[in-house]
Amino acid sequence: MNANQIVRRALTHLADGHVFADVADQDVPPPWIVYQAAGGKIDVDLAGRPFAKFRMRVQISVWHSTPHGRSSLIRQVVRALISPAVGAVPLGAPADVYEQNTGLHGARLDVSIWSEL
């Protein structure tokens, strides 16, 4: 299973199921979660062949109408992703953001997760 599938499966029960790859659907009201691949590290053996799995960096963004809702949602995301069943490793702590045009409160978090090549 690749990292995007793992992340989607781990988060689909949050934000009323509003979990999207790359960008949220246009008419979906908050809250929602967006995830996307943001690089990673592919290791190769001595013969130059890649291993079957690699560490993918995935950026998770949550959006909510209130600061409290945003903070609660990003904490739920962290707990879901670091669970033993998923095994993601946070790369730092969540960073808050405010989108002035929409009035939405967001938070971003990068995680590293094993993914099939």
Side-chain angles (χ1 to χ4, degrees):
M1 188 177 310
N2 70 44
N4 287 333
Q5 293 168 321
I6 294 167
V7 168
R8 176 149 186 82
R9 181 178 290 173
L11 301 180
T12 195
H13 69 284
L14 301 174
D16 300 323
H18 299 158
V19 180
F20 304 96
D22 302 322
V23 65
D25 289 346
Q26 192 71 29
D27 297 324
V28 175
W32 66 76
I33 301 169
V34 176
Y35 61 93
Q36 64 186 53
K41 184 172 188 302
I42 298 175
D43 291 317
V44 297
D45 64 20
L46 293 175
R49 294 181 301 258
F51 293 108
K53 292 193 174 192
F54 71 103
R55 295 297 293 189
M56 177 177 274
R57 183 181 194 119
V58 179
Q59 184 173 80
I60 315 295
S61 299
V62 303
W63 293 95
H64 203 284
S65 57
T66 69
H68 176 73
R70 175 238 2 246
S71 297
S72 175
L73 184 54
I74 195 66
R75 284 193 306 271
Q76 293 172 55
V77 165
V78 170
R79 284 193 295 270
L81 292 176
I82 66 171
S83 73
V86 178
V89 176
L91 301 172
D96 294 343
V97 63
Y98 177 71
E99 172 52 53
Q100 193 157 355
N101 291 337
T102 63
L104 293 177
H105 301 267
R108 287 188 300 263
L109 173 70
D110 285 9
V111 298
S112 178
I113 190 165
W114 284 109
S115 181
E116 292 179 355
L117 197 52

